[in-house]
Amino acid sequence: MTRKVKNIGTVFISLMLVLLLAVGTALAQPASPQAAESSSAKEKAPAAQLETAAETAVLMDYSSGQILYNKDMHVAKPMASVTKLMTMLLICEAEAQGKFKTSDKVIASEHACSMGGSQIFLEPGEELSVKEMLISIATGSANDASVAMAEYVGGSEEEFVSMMNGKAEEMGLKNTHFSNPTGLPVENHYTSAYDMAQVLRECLRYPLFREVSAIYEYDLRGGDFKLWNTNKLLKWYAGADAGKTGWTNEASYCLAASAKRDGLRLVSVVLGCPMPRTHFQETIKIFNYGFAKYKAVTMAEAGQVVKEIKVDKGVADQVKIITKDPVGMVVPKGQEKTIQGNIKLPESIDAPINKGQVIGQYVLNKDGQEVLKVDLIAAQDINKASPLKLLNDMLERVYSME
């Protein structure tokens, strides 16, 4: 009898322990499997972002340089013929400085004609104009024309490459080094998506670059040789108007491109896209993201006159003040009114004044915080007035007070 009671007690205690364990487990779990999934998803779900098959990429606002999207944008990668953006930048810069005219003739050297890859099949001694050479680089990605122009601008290909690296250093490009002006495979030749976006941004400041980069087809040598632009976005994407493609086995497919819609100009660079045409597909995806999400707030274009201020002791009484760079930025759509502009200039300035001299700043604020500062510069030279003119000016002021 005693043993039976003990057995019943043991069973009872065991049942109670099982019951308590079951209740504790039930209380520890959420009310439903769906609730558990929702909670877990909320904790693990990443912030919405753009996916790209490119190894590295960047989307940049042209006016302000704002980064709107990036994927490993500072990682150094081979760039293939996207290299030619720096080649064209130095050509356009030299032309703007008056070192030569676009109509000047360039004679192709034997070395330039020996380049492989994309070319216009220059013959040693053949003459083409600077503009024809530049168009051949921009549209046909011509390696022979690139070297011919490098020799024309720099005196030798080696000196021109030194100029390319000097310009990269001047621009603060920390992950870029050039070993040739073409992008043909060679050691110690690399860039990053961010650095190349800055190069394209600088190229776009030159009307000559914009002109040649936007040409889709061109008849060279009087129509005997047809050029088709390798940047197919000029036909495939509304607003696309500039850029440079590139491909080698080492670099895969690359593209730096610009597109403008509704006052918003975006610059995109993709490096290391895996398959043919993916550099176009990924760039379109990145541009679509930018134009859908952001809105341009433009205060002034580069070179726009914003004010005239008084000049003291000068041959002229006033000087026009222009913007050195574009004044604007992008904001998420709906936030345009958060941007305010403020022009900071003195009431007057003493002569002499040099063209390009910094006189003041155009400052942009977002929600009261400074986000952009652009130099305001003199639009022209103004020499100091002669002593006789200064005396006449003083007498005129005296007479006007009587």
Side-chain angles (χ1 to χ4, degrees), residues 38-74:
S38 176
S39 175
S40 176
K42 188 178 291 185
E43 290 177 7
K44 295 180 181 180
Q49 61 181 10
L50 181 66
E51 298 292 339
T52 177
E55 292 181 8
T56 67
V58 69
L59 178 66
M60 181 182 291
D61 169 46
Y62 164 72
S63 294
S64 65
Q66 286 172 264
I67 304 301
L68 309 180
Y69 168 78
N70 97 84
K71 177 183 178 182
D72 296 329
M73 66 179 180
H74 293 301

Side-chain angles (χ1 to χ4, degrees), residues 329 331-332 335 338-340 364-371:
M329 61 181 302
V331 294
Q335 296 186 20
T338 63
I339 305 299
Q340 298 84 35
L364 293 189
N365 295 296
K366 186 177 189 298
D367 297 323
Q369 298 293 318
E370 183 179 304
V371 291

Side-chain angles (χ1 to χ4, degrees), residues 206-231:
Y206 293 93
L208 177 58
F209 172 81
R210 292 196 189 198
E211 178 189 349
V212 300
S213 190
I215 295 171
Y216 189 73
E217 59 180 282
Y218 185 80
D219 291 325
L220 190 66
R221 300 184 180 105
D224 291 338
F225 194 89
K226 189 81 168 180
L227 288 171
W228 299 93
N229 203 312
T230 57
N231 179 15

Side-chain angles (χ1 to χ4, degrees), residues 10 51 75 102 147 161 200 226 285 313 389 397 400:
T10 300
E51 298 292 339
V75 174
T102 56
V147 174
V161 171
L200 177 52
K226 189 81 168 180
K285 184 192 301 182
K313 304 175 184 178
K389 184 178 188 307
R397 285 195 296 270
S400 66

Side-chain angles (χ1 to χ4, degrees), residues 48 61 68 73 106 155 206 209 220 242 244 255 262 279 282 292-295 307 310 323 362 385 387 394:
D61 169 46
L68 309 180
M73 66 179 180
V106 179
Y206 293 93
F209 172 81
L220 190 66
K244 188 69 197 73
L255 174 61
D262 300 323
H279 50 327
E282 297 307 300
K293 190 170 181 179
Y294 294 98
K295 181 77 174 178
K307 198 172 182 181
K310 182 182 176 184
T323 54
Y362 203 134
M394 183 185 70

Side-chain angles (χ1 to χ4, degrees), residues 172-370:
L173 309 184
K174 298 179 179 179
N175 298 294
T176 295
H177 187 272
F178 298 100
S179 294
N180 63 38
T182 61
L184 288 168
V186 65
E187 290 185 2
N188 204 26
H189 191 88
Y190 55 84
T191 192
S192 67
Y194 174 84
D195 285 1
M196 196 48 65
Q198 294 289 14
V199 174
L200 177 52
R201 227 180 130 215
E202 190 67 20
C203 284
L204 288 164
R205 300 180 189 278
Y206 293 93
L208 177 58
F209 172 81
R210 292 196 189 198
E211 178 189 349
V212 300
S213 190
I215 295 171
Y216 189 73
E217 59 180 282
Y218 185 80
D219 291 325
L220 190 66
R221 300 184 180 105
D224 291 338
F225 194 89
K226 189 81 168 180
L227 288 171
W228 299 93
N229 203 312
T230 57
N231 179 15
K232 302 308 177 186
L233 290 194
L234 294 175
K235 288 291 184 182
W236 294 353
Y237 193 78
D241 58 2
K244 188 69 197 73
T245 61
W247 176 84
T248 61
N249 283 326
E250 182 187 24
S252 295
Y253 294 87
C254 307
L255 174 61
S258 167
K260 185 176 182 180
R261 291 182 181 177
D262 300 323
L264 173 59
R265 179 180 289 281
L266 299 178
V267 170
S268 166
V269 177
V270 292
L271 302 177
C273 293
M275 300 291 290
R277 295 196 174 191
T278 53
H279 50 327
F280 299 126
Q281 295 164 1
E282 297 307 300
T283 299
I284 288 172
K285 184 192 301 182
I286 291 170
F287 275 151
N288 283 344
Y289 169 85
F291 287 122
K293 190 170 181 179
Y294 294 98
K295 181 77 174 178
V297 178
T298 303
M299 299 293 185
E301 300 293 339
Q304 181 176 323
V305 177
V306 295
K307 198 172 182 181
E308 291 189 20
I309 63 173
K310 182 182 176 184
V311 176
D312 293 324
K313 304 175 184 178
V315 296
D317 296 329
Q318 289 190 318
V319 60
K320 291 181 179 180
I321 305 300
I322 62 175
T323 54
K324 182 179 179 181
D325 298 307
V327 183
M329 61 181 302
V330 300
V331 294
K333 288 184 175 180
Q335 296 186 20
E336 294 89 338
K337 293 183 179 180
T338 63
I339 305 299
Q340 298 84 35
N342 183 21
I343 295 175
K344 295 184 177 181
L345 285 168
E347 292 184 5
S348 64
I349 184 171
D350 289 342
I353 300 169
N354 297 319
K355 181 179 180 180
Q357 180 178 330
V358 177
I359 309 298
Q361 283 81 37
Y362 203 134
V363 179
L364 293 189
N365 295 296
K366 186 177 189 298
D367 297 323
Q369 298 293 318
E370 183 179 304

